[in-house]
Amino acid sequence: SYNYMKYNSWDKVEAWISSMAASNPSLMTTEVIGQTFEGRSMTVMKIGKQSSSTKPAIFLDCGIHAREWISPAFCQWFVKEAMETYGSDAQMTSLLDQMDVIVLPVFNIDGYVYTWTNNRMWRKTRSRRSGSSCIGADPNRNFDAGWCTTGASSNPCSDTYCGAKAESEVEVKAVADYIRKHLSTIKAYLTVHSYSQLLLFPYSYTYQLAEHHSELVGAPAARCSPSHFHTFTHITPPCYLLWQHQALAEGASKALRSLYGTQYTSGPGAVTIYPAAGGSDDWAYDLGVKYSYTFELRDTGRYGFLLPESQIKPTCEETMLAVKYIAAHVQKNL
Ligand code: 0X9
Ligand code: ZN
Ligand code: ZN
């Protein structure tokens, strides 16, 4: 049977997607949302109890960056756990009864394949364009959110190349089109990266805090001061949504930590990791998906992208707790 405690090649993941869908027909459907630059099919797994009406959904993607192998391993783990615990775990059952989770197990398939065959440290897509011999763009700099204004490069040879224009990468366009098409049902966007043990929320393309989109905010566009990130004792109205993001992220981090003590830091991307425009989280948020989070999984640098297979299980188990914590909150606030 499938080995979730090893990193799996794309051929294996692709076969796994088919076999999971075939063996769980009442809980899963698949849909091809597009083709990669090199012609591979991008398939989402829609997990949830079948329903005659359209259910609210959480979109979860893994493997935006090719070398972050623990990320696709987590999406596979999530799907396995969902299938195994539906009907026995009360929270998973309630979640999948009420909502769908739409999982894109590997976003950047061409890049992932390239890390298996040629260069383990590849990050970008594998697109080619005339005028440069350098290959690929950074999919997490290619979304239409302050595109290429900060923390991204316009040099095609850079690892953070933002692409020729927003959504120039067909994989990014496919995901963006899918989310736009299903926007009325998508209540949360979760994207999984590695490494650094962070739980990030918007914004990353600006230092401005993501508070002004909240219906809770009646006050003028005052800014929340950074001193509010960790203390919630005197939050004033413009900070309500910030508080909500921060509180949810800290709750999720605490749930994650409860299993093995793994420490996570949470906060808006720009101040917590670095300013970087064109990311999927900011894009989804500005489109109206209020719960938008980027996970940076284990570790903090000892192994970095080369996280040993012995850490797949503990990393995935602890991350499940954080994802389920966020999902429960989203569900409660539908
Ligand atoms: O730089 C990134 O794209 C992410 N870090 S990684 O080491 N996995 O490359 C962080 C993304 C945070 N969100 C945005 N920049 N929008
Ligand atoms: Zn990444
Ligand atoms: Zn204050």
Side-chain angles (χ1 to χ4, degrees):
S1 75
Y2 200 69
N3 196 340
Y4 293 93
M5 274 135 64
K6 288 202 172 301
Y7 294 116
N8 291 292
S9 65
W10 172 245
D11 285 355
K12 287 194 173 150
V13 176
E14 191 178 33
W16 168 83
I17 295 170
S18 302
S19 97
M20 286 301 273
S23 43
N24 298 282
S26 65
L27 274 180
M28 192 188 300
T29 58
T30 59
E31 181 184 345
V32 176
I33 65 165
Q35 306 286 317
T36 67
F37 186 85
E38 292 176 348
R40 298 180 176 91
S41 292
M42 299 171 70
T43 304
V44 293
M45 308 167 89
K46 192 168 105 181
I47 297 171
K49 187 174 173 262
Q50 311 285 33
S51 159
S52 48
S53 56
T54 327
K55 292 157 73 192
I58 295 172
F59 191 95
L60 169 68
D61 67 47
C62 292
I64 282 189
H65 290 136
R67 63 194 174 191
E68 299 166 9
W69 284 12
I70 188 60
S71 167
F74 175 73
C75 270
Q76 293 161 60
W77 195 277
F78 180 89
V79 171
K80 164 188 89 82
E81 287 279 311
M83 294 305 102
E84 282 177 7
T85 65
Y86 179 82
S88 59
D89 177 89
Q91 198 210 323
M92 187 61 85
T93 308
S94 154
L95 175 65
L96 299 183
D97 280 346
Q98 212 184 341
M99 300 188 77
D100 291 324
V101 183
I102 301 161
V103 182
L104 178 60
V106 185
F107 184 119
N108 175 10
I109 306 168
D110 297 348
Y112 188 69
V113 169
Y114 195 72
T115 61
W116 277 77
T117 55
N118 292 73
N119 176 358
R120 177 66 184 83
M121 292 304 277
W122 191 257
R123 167 178 168 97
K124 299 190 284 182
T125 62
R126 292 293 302 163
S127 61
R128 287 151 202 273
R129 47 190 235 98
S130 54
S132 174
S133 57
C134 287
I135 290 174
D138 183 342
N140 216 32
R141 299 292 180 278
N142 193 239
F143 281 83
D144 196 1
W147 178 77
C148 219
T149 51
T150 183
S153 173
S154 52
N155 174 358
C157 302
S158 164
D159 241 1
T160 55
Y161 176 47
C162 58
K165 58 176 192 215
E167 298 182 17
S168 61
E169 302 312 289
V170 290
E171 298 85 356
V172 170
K173 175 84 163 53
V175 169
D177 281 344
Y178 183 89
I179 293 177
R180 277 189 287 260
K181 184 175 165 196
H182 298 90
L183 189 58
S184 62
T185 62
I186 295 176
K187 305 300 175 194
Y189 172 78
L190 305 179
T191 181
V192 182
H193 290 251
S194 74
Y195 58 92
S196 287
Q197 296 173 196
L198 304 172
L199 184 45
L200 308 170
F201 50 86
Y203 287 112
S204 288
Y205 73 78
T206 171
Y207 283 108
Q208 198 181 317
L209 298 171
E211 88 279 8
H212 56 279
H213 289 270
S214 173
E215 62 279 15
L216 295 173
V217 175
R223 303 204 177 173
C224 302
S225 95
S227 64
H228 290 134
F229 291 177
H230 298 287
T231 62
F232 309 121
T233 48
H234 44 270
I235 297 282
T236 51
C239 293
Y240 280 165
L241 188 60
L242 172 68
W243 183 85
Q244 197 177 339
H245 290 306
Q246 183 71 52
L248 187 55
E250 291 192 3
S253 302
K254 195 176 165 203
L256 186 154
R257 183 166 66 243
S258 70
L259 200 54
Y260 303 112
T262 308
Q263 299 270 0
Y264 265 60
T265 304
S266 53
V271 291
T272 308
I273 179 166
Y274 39 64
S280 61
D281 49 1
D282 286 353
W283 173 82
Y285 182 80
D286 278 349
L287 198 64
V289 183
K290 192 165 74 173
Y291 300 103
S292 180
Y293 289 92
T294 295
F295 281 85
E296 294 278 2
L297 303 185
R298 289 192 196 183
D299 54 12
T300 55
R302 177 169 181 192
Y303 297 106
F305 302 117
L306 307 179
L307 194 72
E309 288 181 329
S310 60
Q311 291 201 39
I312 295 175
K313 179 178 154 71
T315 302
C316 291
E317 294 280 23
E318 69 191 9
T319 308
M320 283 300 296
L321 299 181
V323 169
K324 285 171 79 175
Y325 183 95
I326 294 172
H329 182 89
V330 173
Q331 207 188 333
K332 194 178 72 193
N333 289 283
L334 281 175

